[in-house]
Amino acid sequence: MQMEGHDKTSSQPVQLLLLRSQQDGKKQSCFSHLAGTFLRDIMLRIEGLIAAVFTPVKENGDLNLDIIDQYVNHLVSQGVLNVFICGSTGEGASFSLAERKQLTEKWVSAGSGKLQNVIVHVGGISIPDSQDLATHAESVGVQGISTLPTVVFKPKNASKVAEHLKMLYDAAPKTPLLYYHLPGYTGVDILIEDLVNAVEKLGVPTFSGVKFTGANLKDLRRSIRLFGDKYMFPYGCDEQMLCVLPLGCRSFIGSTYNYAGRLYNKLIEVYKNGDMEMALKLLDKSQSLVGVLFAHSFDAGINKQVMSLVSEIDMGPPRHPIVYRSEGEMKKVRQELEEAGFFNGIY
Amino acid sequence: MQMEGHDKTSSQPVQLLLLRSQQDGKKQSCFSHLAGTFLRDIMLRIEGLIAAVFTPVKENGDLNLDIIDQYVNHLVSQGVLNVFICGSTGEGASFSLAERKQLTEKWVSAGSGKLQNVIVHVGGISIPDSQDLATHAESVGVQGISTLPTVVFKPKNASKVAEHLKMLYDAAPKTPLLYYHLPGYTGVDILIEDLVNAVEKLGVPTFSGVKFTGANLKDLRRSIRLFGDKYMFPYGCDEQMLCVLPLGCRSFIGSTYNYAGRLYNKLIEVYKNGDMEMALKLLDKSQSLVGVLFAHSFDAGINKQVMSLVSEIDMGPPRHPIVYRSEGEMKKVRQELEEAGFFNGIY
Amino acid sequence: MQMEGHDKTSSQPVQLLLLRSQQDGKKQSCFSHLAGTFLRDIMLRIEGLIAAVFTPVKENGDLNLDIIDQYVNHLVSQGVLNVFICGSTGEGASFSLAERKQLTEKWVSAGSGKLQNVIVHVGGISIPDSQDLATHAESVGVQGISTLPTVVFKPKNASKVAEHLKMLYDAAPKTPLLYYHLPGYTGVDILIEDLVNAVEKLGVPTFSGVKFTGANLKDLRRSIRLFGDKYMFPYGCDEQMLCVLPLGCRSFIGSTYNYAGRLYNKLIEVYKNGDMEMALKLLDKSQSLVGVLFAHSFDAGINKQVMSLVSEIDMGPPRHPIVYRSEGEMKKVRQELEEAGFFNGIY
Amino acid sequence: MQMEGHDKTSSQPVQLLLLRSQQDGKKQSCFSHLAGTFLRDIMLRIEGLIAAVFTPVKENGDLNLDIIDQYVNHLVSQGVLNVFICGSTGEGASFSLAERKQLTEKWVSAGSGKLQNVIVHVGGISIPDSQDLATHAESVGVQGISTLPTVVFKPKNASKVAEHLKMLYDAAPKTPLLYYHLPGYTGVDILIEDLVNAVEKLGVPTFSGVKFTGANLKDLRRSIRLFGDKYMFPYGCDEQMLCVLPLGCRSFIGSTYNYAGRLYNKLIEVYKNGDMEMALKLLDKSQSLVGVLFAHSFDAGINKQVMSLVSEIDMGPPRHPIVYRSEGEMKKVRQELEEAGFFNGIY
């Protein structure tokens, strides 16, 4: 992967910090401290926002694939050019393997020529089924896959997790692979620094980094410092973005990028320009928005319904066991979002 | 203590307390306090031991289905006539949906005419995939299915769990259904008393009871007292069996019944005859055996390997991420089991 | 320690199973498997019920010591002759060191000639302060002391806990000492079997056993089997008493013995006589009572207020942060207790 | 990035951001967004580092008070002018109430004319004993007190915690009071935003802020944004300092400020000057140091021994149950710290 040749005259919207995957063969922009690093072809490098997308369904709960074309346009219009599908936001755990394959296919085709990277989470299920999803994902041309550790029988240490990643490499030997670090849910609280060392020892050619949704920011920083020139460490807590920008974190996977992408793209831009005051103002705004969601018992359901409300694309209800909020409650949510200034952005 | 009403002249091995499923159309023997209850045709009622069976694989990890015929004979020879497949002991979470279907088919065919009940755990995955397994299980003629609650998105209360059970009823409307209560793993710590009330309110015609692997024995007793004439509440902690026999618990699902079935059948028998001293002696023996396993970091792996050792049927290795113990360690385990008197039973 | 005047011709209710301490030099009644054991002079042996007593206060929260004489009579009238003070039920953690000393003194004097054993919990605070309480307790003549492990800095293993117990022995070298096993609160989840081994290795002459409030009943049984002839293992879950009687458990520390002592004494008696049916009936009754408390968000506060209601001795409010239930709520509680048959006992 | 309004002509060492307490009657320098706020006399406002100090003891474990004069000089020489005593680092939970009073007295007298603020943690014990410590602390002239919530009986919500704070106000009505937010230990996971609202509703005149040792940085930022002009929110994770500086966090309580105070003072200084690259370099250095401690099973013991090693003031051993590392291990630690460049600082 090549990092040279970054210029600002690219045809990308100026507010984007996004690095396109090497796979599309185009030139990339990147921060200086990453430049000059030799990266293998099968590696994923993304800067900027990656939307953890919702899974649109009809009122009866069936997939609503057709709407995804519109969804892609909505993202692109905000300068969000990368997606992470079938994760927690996408309720991946609530969809069948067949549905997850359909979603993968649709996102790849709908994103063609528009999105830069489609990453699909293939974990949270048995390893053989996960391998099957990985093989499928590779066959349809995703830019990356991602997996959680096994959680019924938990790996005892980083080496065991590395073995697991190797098994996914076996199933999809040409597709960049991210480890999904979510210790608050999985209970697998290894250090990412240890994981990368174990992966390098074992050899997992497609390993490309870690989606970091943990509280140990020291581990995040050490991983970036030691391995940031080789791997990506997208951070998973949207409303704490400003806490990790100073640590050198350059990519972000989150759900609010679906409908507040401009705000966060702006935040990254002003941060890069050294305008900390504006960066904090934008963070505060993002926290006000999220505050509304938390006041309504934040979960993947209210989040999905806010997406429908904001994007005017009907995402449909969440699946069991998540509660579908009433029209009355959503009216109140809209009002509170308005009061929080969501619809007349400073960004 | 009297357990009158248990038919000792039955043609079943005398140590069995097993109740055949209503489905085979035969008369049931049961404890007096259960007698006279009207049971629907689709309901499961079992007394005695249900082995949570291991999943035999070849050295390369592929299913070893052929060996299951031999496995069935091994169980029957101990008076164990019921199996629970694809649970934790069976590493269900490590096998693909296709493999779980193959296992279901094989256990049903191998058990035909020998086993009384084959129950298959179809949970721990997305609900649509779980429904697919349930429909399949019904089509091949299992006696029961079982499910965990969803764990990525957790149900907020008993009513939500009841809704989930209803969805499995929809998929397998003729197959008795057990809820698998395992709060230590799932984090879903509802009261079973509340669940049964919610199920009865909602209406889930196939609901047959709860596999109870929790520490709240008050909840277990209340459930048995209030609903024990309608539903079964098999207990899941083998080595604490004597703690719940006085609570009226009459069925047991566990892994050690695979290789210590005679001991536990004997324990139940002497308990019924009021011989508490011998019952305690047998419990102590079971705890000594289990003590050996715990001294070797008990998990589904060491358990599976002890099964191979005792039954002389090669179960193969555990799947990732469980560690496969070395031959050296297993020699030590054998020696310790011998010292614990496992191979010259008092039973 | 005074045990005078208790014998089987005494006016005590016949249903008592209480074992007097070895210290009074008299013969013990005990279950056969315990007989003939050599017991050191400083050791505590109790059979039967030990009430974890409430701490009576005035409306303003100050200690109400005077009422404790009446409290003692209330216990004795139920055949409850042992108390455990300043534990969770007694809100020990909410009282100052000075208050805990006052309570200890009062219980010893009020219990003189009436109670058999006063055990005081001196833990849950810094070790030097705990040693101070222990020394004080010894000086005023309690029959036993008890301690939790340290919880801010947690002991890493059983040996560390044994060291802690040794430090209390140093402070009170003539007073029997119990370890308070409460892993659900402390997070110190050692095996009691390991602890006793560590204690015996280190040498803690006053060690007398373990108040067992854990869910690992296998560990409880193994401890009783291996060490039950030397130490006591009082069980802490009142409403599961019938689960541990078959394990050889013979002593019980709990809060409901304050107001349902007769019921539990009866339960023990009928169990010893082999009447399992009646034992279960009594357990069910106890669970119905406890059920009322749980329906009102069980905590040390509602429990204390039920004690006032039943005993007609005013225990006063709980201390911060426990909520003081309103008169209205308590009227409802009384009604529900009546409906549960609490006031016209079958015992 | 601009931090205008900070008085660089002050007589304080240039690297200090410290705000002296209002109590000394002098003028304060502060960041512009804090300026102009009316501050009550009893309120504490500190900027910069607050060392959570160790408790020096002799080899036999007795307090070693004499050494504290030297300790103060060591802190001042690093530009650390505030201390937090009897917290986790100071093993407060391992010392008696009498010892905690002695420590308070000694720190106040030793710090007189040298330290700006002595804050003493008076919590983690019963409220009446805590009130006694608070009254004592006020009588000897500390600048602030701090308390954890009650943990045996946990407060159900922020209002209950506010009530608790009010009780400490009652005991020390002239001493600024901090709430110690440590949900990872206490399990009391309220939002600080909610707490401040509850405190303001109830009225706790001495309330001065929250020692924030939690992972919810969104809550930290919201608290600073909404209440930062009135209260202080010192952050408790030293090695993540750079994550919260952008959030407006201006005070820090931590253990490594005892021996790496210069490094962190420098970090704050360069951050204020907008030199993010150097700030990150300094953070990396701090993480390397902490990395050595974690490689030796970080706890208050290894930390205390590193303090002895670096300061050449003998802190003595940790108290039970914390393990005292051997001389051999400490030699290794010294070597690793040297390799990490600790003794030839870039700061």
Side-chain angles (χ1 to χ4, degrees):
Chain A
M1 180 181 164
Q2 302 292 92
M3 291 288 176
E4 65 274 12
H6 171 60
D7 66 71
K8 298 219 162 167
T9 64
S10 128
S11 60
Q12 296 300 328
V14 292
Q15 77 273 29
L16 293 187
L17 309 177
L18 307 162
L19 244 192
R20 273 164 303 184
S21 155
Q22 203 54 5
Q23 290 168 314
D24 65 2
K26 294 186 189 161
K27 290 172 88 174
Q28 298 194 357
S29 65
C30 70
F31 293 168
S32 57
H33 71 283
L34 297 178
T37 308
F38 174 78
L39 294 170
R40 291 156 300 175
D41 275 5
I42 47 172
M43 182 155 280
L44 196 64
R45 292 304 302 260
I46 303 173
E47 293 206 353
L49 305 184
I50 302 161
V53 293
F54 300 97
T55 296
V57 298
K58 301 172 189 161
E59 275 302 307
N60 70 357
D62 287 351
L63 285 181
N64 188 355
L65 297 173
D66 292 344
I67 229 167
I68 290 178
D69 297 295
Q70 202 179 337
Y71 196 157
V72 167
N73 293 338
H74 175 75
L75 293 171
V76 170
S77 74
Q78 300 173 79
V80 176
L81 303 190
N82 308 285
V83 295
F84 183 86
I85 73 177
C86 294
S88 321
T89 304
E91 298 170 272
S94 301
F95 289 83
S96 72
L97 302 183
E99 287 170 324
R100 287 166 77 160
K101 288 182 182 176
Q102 286 179 275
L103 280 163
T104 305
E105 289 167 19
K106 180 63 191 180
W107 275 101
V108 168
S109 69
S112 176
K114 296 178 177 175
L115 298 178
Q116 290 180 340
N117 297 283
V118 173
I119 306 171
V120 57
H121 173 54
V122 300
I125 49 180
S126 73
I127 292 180
D129 279 335
S130 185
Q131 288 175 311
D132 180 45
L133 289 190
T135 301
H136 170 267
E138 179 161 301
S139 77
V140 302
V142 301
Q143 277 71 43
I145 57 174
S146 159
T147 190
L148 287 167
T150 53
V151 296
V152 176
F153 304 110
K154 295 183 199 294
K156 292 233 167 74
N157 50 46
S159 300
K160 276 282 168 192
V161 175
E163 280 176 29
H164 179 181
L165 296 179
K166 185 79 179 294
M167 292 163 92
L168 285 176
Y169 160 71
D170 292 340
K174 295 179 178 169
T175 304
L177 170 63
L178 297 177
Y179 174 67
Y180 192 163
H181 184 51
L182 187 64
Y185 162 66
T186 64
V188 178
D189 202 4
I190 55 171
L191 287 180
I192 293 312
E193 180 184 347
D194 292 345
L195 175 63
V196 180
N197 280 321
V199 162
E200 296 205 332
K201 195 174 163 197
L202 182 67
V204 182
T206 50
F207 178 73
S208 294
V210 175
K211 173 179 188 330
F212 193 100
T213 310
N216 186 343
L217 300 181
K218 176 162 63 91
D219 185 31
L220 174 60
R221 170 55 199 162
R222 283 182 66 87
S223 301
I224 290 173
R225 179 163 71 87
L226 296 170
F227 309 112
D229 56 344
K230 290 189 283 183
Y231 310 113
M232 62 187 286
F233 297 94
Y235 183 61
C237 305
D238 316 14
E239 69 277 9
Q240 297 183 174
M241 179 190 274
L242 191 52
C243 302
V244 299
L245 280 166
L247 305 183
C249 195
R250 293 292 172 265
S251 57
F252 307 91
I253 302 180
S255 64
T256 63
Y257 310 143
N258 280 293
Y259 47 79
R262 278 191 197 84
L263 187 158
Y264 284 106
N265 271 324
K266 188 75 183 171
L267 198 166
I268 296 170
E269 184 192 352
V270 301
Y271 176 83
K272 287 182 67 179
N273 294 335
D275 186 348
M276 295 298 280
E277 202 175 332
M278 178 57 85
L280 189 54
K281 229 175 202 167
L282 288 160
L283 190 79
D284 285 344
K285 181 143 193 177
S286 86
Q287 293 188 350
S288 296
L289 304 178
V290 172
V292 173
L293 277 74
F294 273 90
H296 291 265
S297 306
F298 181 81
D299 62 14
I302 184 76
N303 207 359
K304 190 174 190 174
Q305 290 183 255
V306 163
M307 174 63 177
S308 299
L309 188 156
V310 174
S311 68
E312 299 183 346
I313 307 171
D314 184 5
M315 295 289 140
R319 281 202 172 169
H320 176 91
I322 305 176
V323 176
Y324 195 20
R325 267 66 164 194
S326 68
E327 270 189 58
E329 180 165 3
M330 290 313 294
K331 262 187 199 162
K332 215 158 155 286
V333 168
R334 165 183 281 279
Q335 194 181 337
E336 290 167 24
L337 286 174
E338 275 166 7
E339 285 161 17
F342 184 70
F343 297 103
N344 54 343
I346 54 174
Y347 46 91
Chain B
M1 181 186 160
Q2 302 292 92
M3 288 288 173
E4 65 282 353
H6 175 63
D7 181 5
K8 297 212 164 175
T9 65
S10 127
S11 60
Q12 297 298 331
V14 290
Q15 77 273 32
L16 295 187
L17 309 179
L18 306 164
L19 244 191
R20 271 165 302 186
S21 155
Q22 204 60 357
Q23 290 168 312
D24 62 5
K26 296 183 187 166
K27 288 175 81 172
Q28 298 192 358
S29 64
C30 70
F31 295 166
S32 58
H33 70 285
L34 298 177
T37 307
F38 174 77
L39 294 172
R40 290 158 301 174
D41 276 4
I42 48 171
M43 182 156 278
L44 197 63
R45 291 306 302 259
I46 304 174
E47 293 205 350
L49 305 183
I50 302 161
V53 294
F54 300 98
T55 296
V57 297
K58 300 171 190 163
E59 275 304 308
N60 70 358
D62 287 352
L63 284 181
N64 189 354
L65 296 173
D66 293 345
I67 229 167
I68 289 177
D69 297 296
Q70 202 179 335
Y71 195 157
V72 168
N73 293 338
H74 175 74
L75 292 172
V76 171
S77 74
Q78 299 172 78
V80 175
L81 303 190
N82 307 284
V83 295
F84 183 87
I85 75 177
C86 293
S88 322
T89 303
E91 298 170 272
S94 301
F95 288 84
S96 71
L97 302 183
E99 287 170 324
R100 286 166 77 160
K101 288 181 181 175
Q102 287 180 275
L103 280 163
T104 305
E105 290 167 18
K106 180 63 191 183
W107 275 102
V108 168
S109 68
S112 175
K114 295 178 177 174
L115 297 178
Q116 291 181 339
N117 296 283
V118 173
I119 304 170
V120 57
H121 173 54
V122 300
I125 49 180
S126 72
I127 292 180
D129 279 336
S130 185
Q131 288 176 311
D132 180 46
L133 289 190
T135 302
H136 170 268
E138 179 161 302
S139 77
V140 303
V142 302
Q143 277 71 44
I145 58 174
S146 160
T147 190
L148 286 166
T150 53
V151 295
V152 176
F153 305 110
K154 294 182 200 294
K156 290 230 167 75
N157 50 46
S159 299
K160 276 283 168 191
V161 176
E163 280 177 29
H164 179 180
L165 296 179
K166 185 80 180 294
M167 292 163 93
L168 285 176
Y169 160 71
D170 291 340
K174 294 179 179 170
T175 304
L177 170 63
L178 297 178
Y179 175 67
Y180 192 163
H181 183 52
L182 187 64
Y185 162 66
T186 63
V188 179
D189 202 6
I190 55 172
L191 287 181
I192 292 313
E193 180 184 347
D194 291 346
L195 176 62
V196 179
N197 281 321
V199 161
E200 296 205 333
K201 195 174 163 198
L202 183 67
V204 183
T206 50
F207 178 73
S208 294
V210 176
K211 173 180 189 327
F212 194 100
T213 311
N216 186 342
L217 301 182
K218 176 162 65 91
D219 185 33
L220 174 59
R221 170 55 197 163
R222 283 182 66 88
S223 301
I224 290 173
R225 179 162 71 89
L226 296 170
F227 309 112
D229 56 344
K230 290 189 282 183
Y231 310 114
M232 62 187 287
F233 297 94
Y235 183 61
C237 305
D238 315 16
E239 68 278 9
Q240 297 183 175
M241 179 189 275
L242 190 52
C243 302
V244 299
L245 280 166
L247 305 183
C249 196
R250 295 291 174 264
S251 58
F252 307 91
I253 301 180
S255 64
T256 62
Y257 311 143
N258 279 293
Y259 46 78
R262 278 190 197 83
L263 187 158
Y264 284 105
N265 271 324
K266 186 76 183 172
L267 199 166
I268 297 170
E269 184 192 353
V270 300
Y271 176 82
K272 289 181 64 180
N273 293 335
D275 186 350
M276 296 298 280
E277 201 174 334
M278 178 57 84
L280 189 55
K281 228 175 202 166
L282 288 160
L283 190 80
D284 285 343
K285 181 145 194 177
S286 86
Q287 292 188 350
S288 296
L289 304 178
V290 172
V292 173
L293 277 75
F294 272 90
H296 291 265
S297 306
F298 181 82
D299 62 14
I302 184 77
N303 207 358
K304 191 174 189 175
Q305 290 183 256
V306 164
M307 174 63 177
S308 299
L309 190 156
V310 173
S311 68
E312 297 182 346
I313 307 172
D314 184 4
M315 295 289 140
R319 281 202 173 169
H320 176 91
I322 305 176
V323 177
Y324 195 19
R325 269 65 165 195
S326 69
E327 271 190 56
E329 180 164 4
M330 291 314 295
K331 263 188 196 161
K332 216 159 152 286
V333 168
R334 164 183 284 280
Q335 196 181 335
E336 290 168 25
L337 286 174
E338 275 167 7
E339 285 161 17
F342 184 71
F343 297 104
N344 55 343
I346 54 173
Y347 46 92
Chain C
M1 180 185 163
Q2 300 295 89
M3 289 289 171
E4 63 278 359
H6 176 66
D7 63 70
K8 297 227 159 162
T9 66
S10 99
S11 59
Q12 294 301 328
V14 293
Q15 77 272 28
L16 295 186
L17 309 179
L18 306 163
L19 242 192
R20 276 162 303 181
S21 154
Q22 202 58 1
Q23 290 169 309
D24 63 3
K26 295 183 187 166
K27 287 176 81 172
Q28 299 193 359
S29 67
C30 70
F31 293 167
S32 57
H33 71 285
L34 297 177
T37 307
F38 172 78
L39 294 172
R40 290 159 303 172
D41 274 4
I42 49 172
M43 182 156 278
L44 197 64
R45 290 305 301 262
I46 303 173
E47 292 205 352
L49 304 184
I50 302 162
V53 294
F54 300 98
T55 296
V57 297
K58 300 171 188 162
E59 274 303 307
N60 69 358
D62 288 351
L63 284 182
N64 189 354
L65 296 173
D66 293 345
I67 227 167
I68 290 178
D69 297 295
Q70 202 180 335
Y71 195 157
V72 168
N73 293 338
H74 176 75
L75 293 171
V76 171
S77 74
Q78 300 173 79
V80 176
L81 303 190
N82 308 284
V83 294
F84 183 88
I85 74 177
C86 294
S88 322
T89 303
E91 297 169 273
S94 301
F95 288 84
S96 72
L97 301 183
E99 288 170 322
R100 287 166 77 160
K101 287 180 182 177
Q102 286 180 275
L103 281 163
T104 304
E105 290 166 19
K106 180 64 191 182
W107 275 102
V108 167
S109 69
S112 177
K114 296 177 176 174
L115 297 178
Q116 290 181 339
N117 297 283
V118 173
I119 304 171
V120 57
H121 173 53
V122 300
I125 49 179
S126 72
I127 292 180
D129 279 338
S130 186
Q131 288 176 311
D132 180 46
L133 288 190
T135 300
H136 170 268
E138 179 162 300
S139 76
V140 303
V142 301
Q143 278 71 43
I145 57 174
S146 159
T147 190
L148 286 166
T150 52
V151 295
V152 176
F153 305 110
K154 294 183 199 294
K156 292 233 165 75
N157 51 45
S159 299
K160 276 283 169 191
V161 176
E163 281 176 29
H164 179 181
L165 296 179
K166 185 78 178 297
M167 292 163 92
L168 284 176
Y169 160 70
D170 291 341
K174 293 179 179 169
T175 304
L177 170 62
L178 296 178
Y179 175 67
Y180 191 162
H181 183 53
L182 187 64
Y185 162 66
T186 65
V188 179
D189 202 5
I190 55 171
L191 287 181
I192 292 313
E193 179 184 348
D194 292 345
L195 175 63
V196 180
N197 281 322
V199 162
E200 297 207 330
K201 195 175 163 196
L202 182 67
V204 183
T206 50
F207 178 73
S208 294
V210 176
K211 172 178 187 332
F212 193 101
T213 310
N216 185 342
L217 300 182
K218 176 161 64 90
D219 185 31
L220 174 59
R221 170 56 198 161
R222 283 183 66 88
S223 300
I224 290 173
R225 179 163 71 87
L226 296 170
F227 308 112
D229 55 345
K230 289 189 283 184
Y231 310 114
M232 62 188 286
F233 296 94
Y235 182 62
C237 306
D238 316 16
E239 69 278 10
Q240 297 182 174
M241 179 188 274
L242 190 53
C243 302
V244 299
L245 280 166
L247 304 183
C249 196
R250 295 292 172 262
S251 57
F252 307 90
I253 301 181
S255 64
T256 61
Y257 310 144
N258 280 293
Y259 47 78
R262 278 191 197 82
L263 186 158
Y264 284 106
N265 272 323
K266 186 77 182 173
L267 198 165
I268 296 170
E269 183 192 355
V270 301
Y271 177 82
K272 287 181 67 178
N273 293 335
D275 186 350
M276 295 298 279
E277 201 174 335
M278 178 58 85
L280 189 54
K281 229 174 203 166
L282 288 159
L283 190 80
D284 285 344
K285 182 143 192 178
S286 85
Q287 293 188 350
S288 295
L289 304 177
V290 172
V292 173
L293 277 76
F294 272 90
H296 291 266
S297 306
F298 180 82
D299 61 15
I302 183 77
N303 207 358
K304 191 174 188 174
Q305 290 183 256
V306 163
M307 175 62 177
S308 299
L309 189 156
V310 173
S311 68
E312 297 183 347
I313 307 172
D314 183 4
M315 295 289 139
R319 281 202 172 168
H320 176 92
I322 305 175
V323 176
Y324 196 20
R325 267 66 165 194
S326 68
E327 271 190 58
E329 180 165 3
M330 291 313 295
K331 262 188 200 162
K332 217 159 152 285
V333 168
R334 166 183 283 279
Q335 195 182 337
E336 290 168 24
L337 286 174
E338 275 166 7
E339 285 162 17
F342 184 72
F343 297 102
N344 55 343
I346 53 172
Y347 46 92
Chain D
M1 181 187 159
Q2 299 294 91
M3 288 285 173
E4 64 283 353
H6 175 64
D7 182 4
K8 296 215 162 170
T9 65
S10 126
S11 60
Q12 296 300 331
V14 291
Q15 77 273 28
L16 296 187
L17 308 180
L18 306 163
L19 244 193
R20 271 164 303 185
S21 155
Q22 205 56 358
Q23 291 169 313
D24 64 4
K26 295 185 188 162
K27 288 176 77 173
Q28 297 193 0
S29 65
C30 70
F31 294 167
S32 58
H33 69 285
L34 299 177
T37 307
F38 174 77
L39 294 172
R40 290 158 300 173
D41 276 4
I42 47 172
M43 182 158 276
L44 196 65
R45 289 306 302 261
I46 303 173
E47 292 205 353
L49 305 184
I50 301 161
V53 294
F54 300 98
T55 296
V57 298
K58 301 171 189 163
E59 275 303 307
N60 70 357
D62 287 351
L63 285 182
N64 187 354
L65 297 173
D66 292 345
I67 228 167
I68 289 177
D69 297 295
Q70 203 180 334
Y71 195 157
V72 167
N73 293 337
H74 176 75
L75 293 171
V76 171
S77 74
Q78 301 173 79
V80 175
L81 304 189
N82 308 284
V83 296
F84 183 87
I85 73 176
C86 294
S88 322
T89 303
E91 297 169 272
S94 301
F95 288 84
S96 71
L97 302 184
E99 288 170 324
R100 287 166 77 159
K101 288 181 181 176
Q102 287 180 274
L103 281 163
T104 305
E105 290 167 18
K106 179 63 191 181
W107 275 102
V108 168
S109 68
S112 176
K114 296 178 176 174
L115 297 178
Q116 291 181 339
N117 297 284
V118 173
I119 305 170
V120 57
H121 173 54
V122 299
I125 50 180
S126 72
I127 292 180
D129 279 336
S130 186
Q131 288 175 311
D132 180 46
L133 289 190
T135 301
H136 170 268
E138 180 162 300
S139 75
V140 302
V142 302
Q143 277 70 44
I145 56 173
S146 159
T147 190
L148 287 166
T150 53
V151 295
V152 176
F153 304 110
K154 295 184 200 294
K156 291 232 166 75
N157 51 46
S159 299
K160 276 283 168 190
V161 175
E163 281 176 29
H164 178 182
L165 297 178
K166 185 80 178 296
M167 292 163 93
L168 284 176
Y169 160 71
D170 291 340
K174 295 178 179 170
T175 304
L177 170 62
L178 297 177
Y179 175 67
Y180 192 162
H181 183 52
L182 186 64
Y185 161 66
T186 64
V188 178
D189 203 5
I190 54 172
L191 287 181
I192 292 312
E193 180 184 347
D194 292 345
L195 175 64
V196 180
N197 281 321
V199 161
E200 297 206 331
K201 196 174 162 196
L202 182 67
V204 183
T206 50
F207 178 72
S208 293
V210 176
K211 174 179 189 329
F212 193 101
T213 311
N216 186 342
L217 300 181
K218 177 162 62 91
D219 184 32
L220 174 60
R221 171 54 198 163
R222 284 182 65 89
S223 301
I224 290 173
R225 179 162 72 87
L226 296 171
F227 309 111
D229 55 345
K230 290 189 282 182
Y231 310 114
M232 61 187 287
F233 297 94
Y235 183 61
C237 304
D238 316 15
E239 69 277 10
Q240 297 183 175
M241 179 189 275
L242 192 51
C243 302
V244 300
L245 280 166
L247 305 183
C249 196
R250 294 291 174 263
S251 57
F252 307 91
I253 300 180
S255 64
T256 63
Y257 310 143
N258 279 293
Y259 48 78
R262 277 190 198 84
L263 187 157
Y264 284 106
N265 271 323
K266 187 75 183 171
L267 198 165
I268 296 170
E269 184 192 354
V270 301
Y271 177 82
K272 287 181 66 179
N273 294 334
D275 187 348
M276 296 299 280
E277 201 174 333
M278 177 58 84
L280 189 54
K281 230 176 202 165
L282 288 159
L283 190 80
D284 286 344
K285 182 143 192 178
S286 86
Q287 292 188 350
S288 295
L289 304 178
V290 172
V292 173
L293 276 75
F294 272 90
H296 291 266
S297 305
F298 181 82
D299 61 15
I302 184 76
N303 207 359
K304 191 174 190 175
Q305 291 183 254
V306 164
M307 175 63 177
S308 299
L309 188 157
V310 173
S311 67
E312 298 183 347
I313 307 172
D314 184 4
M315 295 288 139
R319 281 201 172 169
H320 177 91
I322 304 176
V323 176
Y324 196 19
R325 268 64 164 196
S326 68
E327 272 190 57
E329 180 165 4
M330 290 313 294
K331 263 189 197 159
K332 217 159 152 287
V333 168
R334 165 183 282 280
Q335 196 181 336
E336 290 167 23
L337 286 174
E338 275 166 8
E339 285 162 16
F342 184 71
F343 297 102
N344 56 344
I346 54 173
Y347 48 91

